[in-house]
Amino acid sequence: SKKKKEEVKAKAKDVKKPLFPQPLTSFSDLRSAYNISTRLEENLAKQGYRIPTEVQLGSLPLLLQPDRAIPSTAAEELHFTTKSGIDFLAVAPTGSGKTLAFLIPAINGILRRRAGDATQKEHVLEAIVVAPTRELAHQIVNEGRKLAQGTGVKIVGMKRGMQIPTEGQVEDGASDEEASGSDQEADGSEDEVKKDEAQKQMTTTKTDILVTTPMLLQNFLKSRILLTVKALILDEADVLLDPLFREQTLGIWSACTSQHLRLTCWSATMGSSIEGLVLEQLKARESDQPSVPLI
Ligand code: ADP
Ligand code: MG
């Protein structure tokens, strides 16, 4: 298998831009092929993870590529979208290890950007995981914290009343403060506004990865936008796109206004709600637009 690996490497070197990311056989390949953080690799080993599951084998090579730098030819082959829309959809049964499959790239992406930019503030909200229930969100936080141990990546579970950092807050219209009239006395006084902002900053929970239910985040967001978020992860996406959660989920998506946003969906079933959304997107994008990769 070592020989095989070398062959793969040699082949990849021959081509200027390899069509497909390098195949994965074990978690220890992640370091050599994708240069993942040593600490992250150690944490995986510590948890006893050695052989990636099928959904991990399929998704990690794609999602560990920096941002959207998936080779365009490969993108066409894989129908990996490079415009706004669902970038990736994995359908794999319950218990198949989808959590690791989205947490590893989320954590590694943050570490990679941090390593490349010394000026970056220590904690920037870069990834949001949305899950339909608090119990599931709690499990994801726990799993994420074990993986991120010693990396400095902060994973936080959203709570009612918690403030998270937002950017480009919408100034006119019905923000909740205006609706409740609480900033009336700040009207016309720049200093007051500044003080107000400073106070808000103080109580903001610093986080790199936020794990939340749709309702908890939507209640906080209102008209705020999340400019810094690079990864929006919908776990149990079939449920999140159900009529019950759909509006909140789509609201969160539209609040993530970064041009570099990567939206990934994870589900145990294809489900009509996902299918519906995918079809809507395809229609909206016309026939020359690529579809969504399925794993
Ligand atoms: P899913 O979200 O697909 O239903 P989970 O992410 O909850 O599945 O994973 C199910 C269980 O499998 C968890 O206990 C997890 O720790 C374990 N697991 C995940 N990936 C691996 C792996 N590569 N090797 C061994 N166990 C794994
Ligand atoms: Mg799951």
Side-chain angles (χ1 to χ4, degrees):
S1 116
K2 200 178 171 195
K3 202 180 161 206
K4 208 173 165 191
K5 256 191 245 165
E6 273 161 9
E7 267 173 34
V8 172
K9 266 190 197 154
K11 266 189 204 158
K13 244 196 265 168
D14 289 345
V15 213
K16 260 191 197 153
K17 276 186 181 173
L19 260 185
F20 287 96
Q22 290 195 36
L24 193 65
T25 52
S26 74
F27 281 118
S28 44
D29 282 353
L30 290 175
R31 177 129 191 88
S32 50
Y34 298 99
N35 195 28
I36 76 155
S37 131
T38 325
R39 191 59 205 252
L40 185 51
E41 194 191 3
E42 281 168 9
N43 289 346
L44 281 164
K46 234 192 316 186
Q47 302 293 309
Y49 298 129
R50 288 190 317 115
I51 315 292
T53 64
E54 207 174 324
V55 68
Q56 292 160 3
L57 287 171
S59 56
L60 288 173
L62 278 172
L63 299 181
L64 283 169
Q65 310 235 2
D67 292 330
R68 286 166 178 276
I70 287 174
S72 60
T73 33
E76 276 161 34
E77 287 282 329
L78 292 163
H79 308 296
F80 195 97
T81 67
T82 50
K83 297 216 174 96
S84 70
I86 296 179
D87 293 295
F88 183 91
L89 165 61
V91 180
T94 302
S96 61
K98 293 189 286 296
T99 318
L100 274 189
F102 61 70
L103 282 176
I104 294 170
I107 295 167
N108 199 61
I110 289 164
L111 291 173
R112 187 184 275 153
R113 274 188 288 276
R114 206 175 272 175
D117 178 10
T119 65
Q120 185 168 321
K121 277 184 278 169
E122 214 199 321
H123 298 292
V124 177
L125 179 60
E126 289 203 43
I128 294 179
V129 181
V130 188
T133 65
R134 287 179 198 220
E135 298 91 282
L136 185 56
H138 187 68
Q139 283 169 29
I140 295 166
V141 169
N142 283 344
E143 191 153 356
R145 283 183 180 162
K146 281 185 217 156
L147 272 186
Q149 226 166 50
T151 63
V153 171
K154 198 167 175 220
I155 303 174
V156 169
M158 185 73 190
K159 286 185 183 66
R160 200 192 300 270
M162 197 172 98
Q163 303 288 309
I164 54 162
T166 59
E167 254 182 64
Q169 204 157 327
V170 180
E171 266 153 18
D172 53 9
S175 84
D176 54 347
E177 289 89 358
E178 276 170 34
S180 67
S182 67
D183 65 348
Q184 225 169 4
E185 61 279 8
D187 251 352
S189 160
E190 234 174 275
D191 283 354
E192 292 271 357
V193 175
K194 271 185 197 150
K195 217 165 79 188
D196 220 43
E197 283 303 308
Q199 220 152 26
K200 256 185 224 159
Q201 284 298 108
M202 267 168 51
T203 53
T204 291
T205 302
K206 296 260 181 282
T207 170
D208 295 296
I209 301 177
L210 180 76
V211 186
T212 182
T213 62
M215 174 110 74
L216 280 171
L217 184 53
Q218 253 310 38
N219 281 348
F220 164 74
L221 273 182
K222 304 276 166 51
S223 54
R224 298 174 173 101
I225 62 164
L226 300 161
L227 203 52
T228 54
V229 173
K230 302 263 192 333
L232 179 61
I233 297 160
L234 304 185
D235 193 17
E236 314 260 354
D238 53 328
V239 182
L240 292 176
L241 295 168
D242 245 10
L244 187 64
F245 293 115
R246 187 183 180 89
E247 218 170 295
Q248 288 166 358
T249 303
L250 296 182
I252 291 167
W253 182 8
S254 49
C256 297
T257 50
S258 166
Q259 297 217 315
H260 303 286
L261 182 74
R262 180 185 268 178
L263 173 65
T264 62
C265 293
W266 306 80
S267 174
T269 55
M270 185 62 188
S272 56
S273 51
I274 288 192
E275 225 169 325
L277 187 70
V278 171
L279 288 174
E280 264 169 45
Q281 284 198 17
L282 290 182
K283 249 191 264 166
R285 278 190 219 169
E286 307 181 349
S287 50
D288 63 340
Q289 292 298 322
S291 68
V292 173
L294 296 170
I295 289 208

